[in-house]
Amino acid sequence: MLDPTSSTDVFVVRGGAPLRGTVRLSGAKNSALKLMAAGILCDGTLELGAIPRIADVPVMAEVLRGIGLGVDLDLANERCTIDASVEPDWRPPRDAVTRIRASISCLGPLVGRTRRARIALPGGDKIGARRIEMHVRGLMAMGAEVEERADEVEVVARELHGAILTLDFPSVGATENLVMAAVLADGTTVLDNAAREPEIQDLCRMLVAMGARIDGIGSPTLEIEGVDRLAPISWETCPDRIEAGTYAVAAALTGGDVVIERVRPADLTLPLLKLRSAGVVIEEGGDSLRVKAGDLDPVDFVTLPYPGFPTDLQPQMMVLLTQAEGTSRCTENVFESRFSFVDELARMGADIQIDGHHALIRGPAPLVGATFTGLDVRAGAAGTLAGLVARGTTVVRDVHHVDRGYADWIPRLQALGADVERVPASDVDA
Ligand code: UD1
């Protein structure tokens, strides 16, 4: 179940136990939230399965209820139904919207369905600015008028027509918003330099199953021919490749042997290649991976939009490489402040030198338990991983970030034999 305990909890991690056993993972966070937003486009009730038990999901449900959609969320069974048979309101409630950045994904579908939207802007983030100028520029090229205020954006499209769009950068959020506006626009939209993450492919395939016309799914050029309505269907969220990569690192880092189920190995081509280059032994099954420790070697890696190495696995990979024999290099190309967790890791004994968006990781560095404050979801996961190999006790703080992206994180690690627990911060501060 989604952990109902307080966001001021901490994780207490005692290092040393190798992880062993089988873990079955969830549907992808970065798909599920967009599939829910796509419910806005559905002329009827959309039924979603494999919805992960993460904290962002109930907030997205609140955003959708706030515009009049009927949302039935059953997290115990990983299901969510969204009834949008009545046209939604175009002004999602600010309170819920500002609690999750993924709520910006409602912009495109609202413009597609109602031809207008007023939505609060997602705040900045510890991993870098989250700009939306590509989303806005695309909507304007499709005929919308856009007014950007300090903390919200208002879009009115008296007519919403197809357009030829080229993104400056394959932005995940911009690609999704523009696709979701274009599926109900008049005429054909060509979106070039589109992002092609597996979660975007999942969204596009679901839209096609609802009746949308989208060509080029999985390629950098999407061609979308607008239709009049999208019909209700049932859809299963694709597996979470970032969660799978995180558990793979956990297994390798602790000298363990873990079978990870509900994975699509093809979505993890580059992470698996880099893990193997680092000496990790990986057996691929149809929808599973078996990850066994080997002697860890240094590797160089560069984060890039898919199919490049995902920025969302960069902190976890850095933790792994602190234990490799030699010097590894990492270049972060997607978010400007994604190395902010490195200071925390350094306090545990990691030897990492940062120069702009490059990092040199020298290993093996024996890690020692300390307090680790994870300022975003992946940093919090990386702190937990570091604790699993550190000598002594690590206390991971600000764990509400981890709750946003990892379903059942602590119970799953415990089931694999990790010595971890979640306790109120007051227990360790006393
Ligand atoms: C999504 C994922 C996030 C992942 C990221 C990159 C969700 C909910 N989040 O975030 O986990 O790390 O993709 O894979 O799916 N940018 C601009 N202008 C824009 C749009 C983006 O400058 O109009 C910049 C951003 O500031 C960032 C980079 O492009 O530096 C990548 O952003 P984007 O691909 O849009 O990521 P998100 O959709 O925010």
Side-chain angles (χ1 to χ4, degrees):
M1 282 299 298
L2 183 64
D3 201 324
T5 46
S6 163
S7 63
T8 57
D9 289 350
V10 298
F11 300 153
V12 177
V13 189
R14 291 172 203 92
L19 300 196
R20 292 188 196 287
T22 299
V23 61
R24 186 168 170 76
L25 301 185
S26 309
K29 159 186 179 281
N30 287 352
S31 184
L33 297 167
K34 323 307 171 62
L35 300 180
M36 290 176 75
I40 293 171
L41 294 164
C42 179
D43 191 359
T45 301
L46 180 64
E47 292 179 17
L48 299 173
I51 293 291
R53 287 186 279 271
I54 54 172
D56 277 8
V57 162
V59 184
M60 182 57 103
E62 214 178 304
V63 172
L64 298 177
R65 285 191 193 108
I67 50 173
L69 273 51
V71 183
D72 189 1
L73 188 57
D74 172 8
L75 277 181
N77 292 305
E78 303 186 322
R79 303 208 67 79
C80 179
T81 60
I82 299 163
D83 178 0
S85 23
V86 174
E87 188 171 288
D89 191 290
W90 53 284
R91 295 154 301 183
R94 169 174 291 267
D95 281 2
V97 164
T98 48
R99 278 164 57 202
I100 49 167
R101 281 180 303 276
S103 50
I104 194 65
S105 307
C106 295
L107 177 65
L110 274 177
V111 174
R113 179 87 188 260
T114 70
R115 299 303 198 242
R116 65 190 304 191
R118 187 176 73 204
I119 190 162
L121 290 174
D125 190 18
K126 296 289 188 295
I127 59 175
R130 301 292 265 251
R131 290 175 291 270
I132 62 158
E133 82 285 351
M134 283 185 250
H135 310 226
V136 165
R137 233 184 280 139
L139 292 173
M140 288 171 75
M142 294 170 74
E145 285 167 32
V146 179
E147 194 175 329
E148 282 186 87
R149 307 191 187 104
D151 58 351
E152 65 177 15
V153 60
E154 184 164 337
V155 180
V156 180
R158 264 167 267 284
E159 52 160 346
L160 188 70
H161 53 72
I164 298 197
L165 310 173
T166 303
L167 296 182
D168 287 357
F169 174 91
S171 151
V172 168
T175 301
E176 291 165 340
N177 262 331
L178 294 172
V179 166
M180 288 193 277
V183 284
L184 290 182
D186 300 321
T188 300
T189 300
V190 177
L191 183 57
D192 221 345
N193 202 20
R196 49 190 162 135
E197 270 64 5
E199 297 78 23
I200 297 178
Q201 299 182 36
D202 197 32
L203 171 67
C204 288
R205 291 205 174 92
M206 182 182 83
L207 293 169
V208 167
M210 292 165 75
R213 300 212 180 112
I214 308 176
D215 274 346
I217 297 173
S219 84
T221 306
L222 295 170
E223 191 169 323
I224 306 131
E225 195 186 323
V227 296
D228 290 338
R229 80 180 269 276
L230 294 180
I233 56 155
S234 293
W235 191 259
E236 291 292 302
T237 312
C238 71
D240 197 316
R241 67 197 160 101
I242 305 300
E243 194 183 29
T246 305
Y247 282 93
V249 168
L253 190 60
T254 59
D257 182 352
V258 173
V259 175
I260 305 170
E261 292 182 345
R262 195 146 87 172
V263 186
R264 285 196 312 218
D267 291 346
L268 281 153
T269 304
L270 210 46
L272 295 185
L273 191 128
K274 290 293 171 183
L275 286 170
R276 285 187 172 117
S277 306
V280 181
V281 180
I282 301 169
E283 291 166 22
E284 292 181 33
D287 67 349
S288 68
L289 293 173
R290 181 171 179 185
V291 182
K292 287 187 274 189
D295 289 336
L296 290 174
D297 298 321
V299 288
D300 296 345
F301 73 107
V302 172
T303 69
L304 282 171
Y306 188 82
F309 190 96
T311 177
D312 285 354
L313 274 178
Q314 180 258 100
Q316 302 89 314
M317 189 72 181
M318 296 257 280
V319 173
L320 181 73
L321 294 173
T322 63
Q323 302 307 302
E325 178 89 44
T327 301
S328 305
R329 286 171 195 79
C330 164
T331 301
E332 168 61 49
N333 288 312
V334 181
F335 286 108
E336 64 261 43
S337 311
R338 194 133 221 188
F339 287 144
S340 53
F341 70 98
V342 165
D343 286 346
E344 301 295 300
L345 212 50
R347 287 195 299 102
M348 295 178 72
D351 181 355
I352 301 178
Q353 193 184 325
I354 302 291
D355 179 9
H357 65 130
H358 304 286
L360 273 187
I361 309 125
R362 291 190 192 87
L367 300 184
V368 181
T371 296
F372 184 108
T373 304
L375 295 178
D376 71 79
V377 45
R378 308 305 166 188
T384 316
L385 296 179
L388 292 176
V389 279
R391 187 160 46 80
T393 303
T394 298
V395 175
V396 181
R397 291 186 182 275
D398 279 6
V399 304
H400 56 98
H401 292 296
V402 182
D403 294 338
R404 294 186 39 236
Y406 288 91
D408 308 330
W409 177 234
I410 294 301
R412 283 176 178 170
L413 287 174
Q414 285 168 337
L416 293 172
D419 187 350
V420 288
E421 60 182 330
R422 178 181 187 127
V423 301
S426 53
D427 281 17
V428 294
D429 292 339

